[in-house]
Amino acid sequence: EGYIDAARRAELSDLADTALRRMTRDVRTALPNSLRATLSGNVHYLEYLQTGGGGRYRAEVAGDGSGNLLDFTAADASFDVIGPMPTLAAGNSIVVYNLNADPAITTSNAYVGDNRASYSSNTATTITLTAATLFPFASPGKRFQIVQTPVTYACDPLPGGTGELRRVSGYAIQAAQPNAINAGPLSTAPVNALLARNVRSCAFSYAVVSQRTGVLALSLQLESGGESVRLFQQVHVNNVP
């Protein structure tokens, strides 16, 4: 019996550790300043915008007057990339200088969409947008990020360890954070993956420590056959846009 109990605890620890490591790895791909956490009823939600890379846009023309710069004084539909061209795909978006995730703040907020433009096509040196866009602010580092999809981790704990932790992605970007796993965009998302069973309790907490740094606290408790394991992890979030 002791051996069986120890094996069950080891299995629960491995499952919880794998889930938290996956969440940590995902968060490191998040668009700066896009993390947001909420609690709706008994369900904890953590959302972010997943990036697939980025690069530097041309901010000035070359000495001979050539080059397609990204204009911040009028709507612009294309710009040159300085350095290697990142990998882009249909459905991607270009975001410049994201500062906010709160839907009440509508400036430089990729969820609201004022600093986000749909990708259309690219050559070896130039990115073309679906529509001409006037981005609100230039990036001090002349950087842009490529947003692939919003991602939500939804943790629904239940007594006795019968709850679940799920990863949902592929739905449309929403100004307000989705907070109903069985309704709205999360219910129709093309990807809804089970990350962990046997969830008894969980908590997601995100705090902005400074203008460019945040800390995400993750807590996950799994229970099975009378055995229970709780793991806690903190993740440093780099919010330099």
Side-chain angles (χ1 to χ4, degrees):
E1 290 179 356
Y3 173 81
I4 293 174
D5 291 343
R8 185 178 293 115
R9 287 194 296 271
E11 181 182 8
L12 291 174
S13 296
D14 182 60
L15 291 173
D17 182 63
T18 299
L20 293 181
R21 285 179 182 273
R22 173 61 189 268
M23 295 180 70
T24 298
R25 186 171 66 250
D26 271 3
V27 165
R28 300 201 188 283
T29 70
L31 178 72
N33 300 301
S34 71
L35 259 71
R36 50 188 186 180
T38 190
L39 174 64
S40 179
N42 194 47
V43 185
H44 293 264
Y45 295 91
L46 174 69
E47 186 181 34
Y48 66 92
L49 298 178
Q50 180 175 286
T51 63
R56 295 182 182 272
Y57 57 81
R58 178 179 287 279
E60 298 179 1
V61 295
D64 60 0
S66 64
N68 183 359
L69 58 81
L70 179 57
D71 195 346
F72 288 90
T73 63
D76 200 349
S78 64
F79 61 90
D80 285 347
V81 174
I82 304 300
M85 177 64 67
T87 301
L88 293 129
N92 288 172
S93 298
I94 304 298
V95 175
V96 176
Y97 204 50
N98 190 61
L99 298 177
N100 301 294
D102 185 346
I105 304 175
T106 58
T107 302
S108 203
N109 187 330
Y111 285 109
V112 175
D114 69 320
N115 64 340
R116 172 170 51 86
S118 297
Y119 159 79
S120 176
S121 62
N122 68 279
T123 65
T125 59
T126 303
I127 291 177
T128 300
L129 307 176
T130 300
T133 301
L134 175 58
F135 293 96
F137 299 119
S139 164
K142 312 299 186 291
R143 288 189 292 266
F144 67 90
Q145 280 90 26
I146 301 167
V147 169
Q148 297 174 319
T149 177
V151 176
T152 288
Y153 278 98
C155 184
D156 185 9
L158 292 172
T162 57
E164 295 180 340
L165 171 62
R166 289 187 169 272
R167 183 185 187 275
V168 186
S169 63
Y171 56 93
I173 298 175
Q174 309 286 312
Q177 183 176 359
N179 59 0
I181 191 67
N182 296 317
L186 297 185
S187 63
T188 58
V191 180
N192 187 327
L194 178 64
L195 191 62
R197 301 180 189 273
N198 305 117
V199 179
R200 177 183 175 87
S201 69
C202 55
F204 305 148
S205 175
Y206 177 65
V208 177
V209 178
S210 66
Q211 189 176 13
R212 294 292 181 262
T213 303
V215 174
L216 174 65
L218 305 171
S219 175
L220 182 63
Q221 182 182 11
L222 304 185
E223 180 178 317
S224 176
E227 297 293 334
S228 176
V229 169
R230 183 196 300 270
L231 296 185
F232 176 80
Q233 187 158 316
Q234 285 187 321
V235 185
H236 171 266
V237 180
N238 183 1
N239 281 328
V240 179

